Amino acid sequence: MKKLLLSTLLAGSVMSQVNAQGTNVHETEGDYRTPIKEFANGFTQEQVQKFRDNYNLPHLLKGGDDAVWWGLRTSELFNTALLEPNHKMELVKNINPAVGEVKAHTKHFGEISLNDFMVHPHSYAQGFLVVHKGEIVFENYQGMTESDHHVWMSAAKIIPGLAVDLLISDGKIDQEKTIGHYVHDFKHTGYGNVKVKDVMDMTPGLNSEENDETRSDPNSIATRLFLAELDLPYNGKNEKVRDVLKEAKQTHPAGEKLEYGSSHTQMLVLLVEAVSGKPFAEFVDQRIYSKMGAESTLNIHLSPNGVAIGHGIVSSRLRDMARVGMLYTPSWNKTAIEQVVSPEIISRIQNGTRSREFYRKGFDGPVFIDRLGDDNVISNARQWDGVWEDGDFWKSGLQSQGIYVSPKKDLVIVFFSTNVPDDSIHRYARQIANSGLFEEVE
């Protein structure tokens, strides 16, 4: 791994602290001043200066033009660990026009095809890619090019999840043991008493959940975590990620319901570092990315004191995101020199779901169901947002990034976006998988 620390802009007048009222993501809409297609060839210096002047947490969470810039230029804003590919394994193109004609019922635009959604002036869809049996069958870019890196947002949570599962397979982590058993300085904290499997499944019973209430609370663990990562002050002081996580408190027993939170994923990052004895980015490089035939770097962005922001601030090309998804399919050998994701790890995802009641009892289960337009999803598992009875699984990210994997159909669907008002881009994944265009592989 070649590691490069880039200069950060997260200081001075460029940044402003979260407003006193906080920001409710579900109540804000982006400022769609510019058709996203106009950003495909980059940004003018005038635009960049405006975006820098507007750079603050509430504004970015709204989406719109500023978030387009942030999503495509993340390495200009954070210290970054660059994971460079060691192998070149090109993906063959075998375009199937029928994929673009698949329709989904969107929240704001009615029932329209994927092709129409991608060019809709208010969808703010960035890029969409479908890989079947290791070949690209659909590829569409709007406000970016195939060589651009884009932030994954919470779709990146699958990487810490996979890292932990690799250590479980190594026999170095027992998921029935607590976080405190492995991360010793957390032994007497809220997270310290939670089992690894409950953190993996986002059900720790702590006050670190992300929901409308905690996102709107400037004093919540969720908000303070983001401030620490962005080098913004909380009550006049810049906190460290590790210190914020130590202040999470137990409020009820773990395992009762889905309690989605980026804080939980950050605990997995610290768990990987404690058990492996390596920085998170180095572990990911050695065990995952260095085995892949990627096109370009996987950028793992860091907090001011060097903690990998594994819950979401990771960026790559869209094709390389698809390559990560391919590790979970029979075509893994078309993108990697050795099998990274074992059948055992896939089985843990597919068979590790909790109950439908567990999923629907929490705040985010119903949010995910609405996002998908599909109530057939069973539950979440191991950092993936949804698992179906047919074995398919899916992960989403803020402003509608997504990765969908169907191991049985040898199918991977990935997309980047900056849409907030209509997150219906997710609905195309399940529709494509069940369109009849792709049968189960033998």
Side-chain angles (χ1 to χ4, degrees), residues 4-20:
L4 175 65
L5 296 182
L6 302 176
S7 61
T8 179
L9 298 177
L10 306 182
S13 62
V14 176
M15 300 296 297
S16 64
Q17 188 177 4
V18 149
N19 58 28

Side-chain angles (χ1 to χ4, degrees), residues 347-412:
S347 178
R348 289 184 202 141
I349 298 168
Q350 295 174 327
N351 302 314
T353 55
R354 313 228 177 182
S355 68
R356 294 171 64 88
E357 179 186 9
F358 165 88
Y359 193 63
R360 288 150 179 79
K361 186 178 179 181
F363 170 83
D364 274 289
V367 170
F368 293 147
I369 290 170
D370 177 70
R371 186 171 293 167
L372 291 162
D374 181 0
D375 192 26
N376 293 317
V377 62
I378 303 171
S379 185
N380 65 303
R382 311 187 84 78
Q383 298 294 297
W384 292 83
D385 290 341
V387 182
W388 284 265
E389 290 183 0
D390 58 14
D392 292 6
F393 39 91
W394 157 83
K395 182 72 189 84
S396 64
L398 181 68
Q399 295 171 359
S400 297
Q401 326 311 324
I403 180 168
Y404 180 103
V405 177
S406 178
K408 288 183 178 179
K409 294 178 179 175
D410 202 352
L411 182 69
V412 174

